[in-house]
Amino acid sequence: MKRLFCVIFALLLLLTGCSAAPDDNGTPSNTDSGEHSIYYADRVSVDKMAYYFNDVCFGNEYGATKSIITKWQDPIMLCIDGVASMGDYEVLNDFIDFLNDIDGFPGIMEIHDKAQANLVIHFYGLAEFKNEVDAPNAVGLATYNFNNDTGVITDGDVYICTDEPESERKSIILEEMYQVLGPTKDTLVRKDSIIYQRGNAPQLSKEDKSIISLLYSSRITPGMSMAESEEIIREIYY
């Protein structure tokens, strides 16, 4: 098992075999017929989507670079630890509803027995947060374990600092919950992304939604290489 840490501030931008983001003159697709797949983001070409996907789903903020697809396969049993506000619960519930509507997602539900949970989200005040999180200046953190051989995520934790204003916590909750699902890198490319390194977006962008939907497609399996998953993306994204 390997421990991954995904904090708000990224150190490196993973290059995906290109020196710059691709232009819109990408590989021809079924968009010529006017029909789009369920993964399609309006006006985002398949070349760009493959680039965006690779940018956040491979690599790692700290430590060894992650070179395979990591994702959950078993249903996620989420437990709340600490004190969350009604606003925090609303953000979580809306995000859970979004995830459970994704084709291929294994499902996520809240439970109250921490011992039975495979994902715990901790809402801590600043002092307790600093005791648990060894990441200076961070106000949120996501960490998960995965099997090195299979790429399957087995369990994880999310930490949220409740001393941050509730209006700011929405972005923090969404970012950390998004990253504990498998996209382990912040992006420097998309300023409106929920995991943009240099800002706090209020919601998931259309590209964020497409990336997580593609990641949990049954066609993209844990353990796949970048080349293997990109081949699938070019088949199902149009």
Side-chain angles (χ1 to χ4, degrees), residues 53-156:
F53 183 95
N54 292 339
D55 178 43
V56 299
C57 289
F58 295 93
N60 191 22
E61 303 303 341
Y62 298 100
T65 296
K66 180 170 71 70
S67 59
I68 61 173
I69 290 289
T70 55
K71 58 190 280 190
W72 296 77
Q73 281 197 321
D74 293 331
I76 300 174
M77 301 291 113
L78 171 68
C79 183
I80 306 297
D81 178 39
V83 180
S85 70
M86 292 299 294
D88 296 334
Y89 273 106
E90 184 178 350
V91 172
L92 275 174
N93 289 334
D94 287 347
F95 188 61
I96 287 171
D97 288 343
F98 161 71
L99 292 176
N100 284 330
D101 282 340
I102 293 176
D103 187 31
F105 190 76
I108 180 171
M109 64 178 293
E110 182 184 354
I111 63 173
H112 301 290
D113 185 353
K114 191 175 177 180
Q116 299 298 317
N118 52 11
L119 177 60
V120 181
I121 180 168
H122 310 269
F123 287 89
Y124 288 162
L126 183 60
E128 191 171 9
F129 181 86
K130 285 182 175 291
N131 284 337
E132 296 292 331
V133 175
D134 184 18
N137 303 317
V139 291
L141 180 140
T143 174
Y144 63 73
N145 291 314
F146 72 95
N147 186 296
N148 277 324
D149 295 325
T150 66
V152 174
I153 300 174
T154 56
D155 59 276

Side-chain angles (χ1 to χ4, degrees), residues 6-7 10 12-15 54-61 66 179 182-188 190 195:
C6 311
V7 295
L12 298 172
L13 172 64
L14 176 68
L15 295 180
N54 292 339
D55 178 43
V56 299
C57 289
F58 295 93
N60 191 22
E61 303 303 341
K66 180 170 71 70
Q179 291 196 298
T184 53
K185 278 188 74 270
D186 287 345
T187 181
L188 286 168
R190 296 176 292 114
I195 54 175

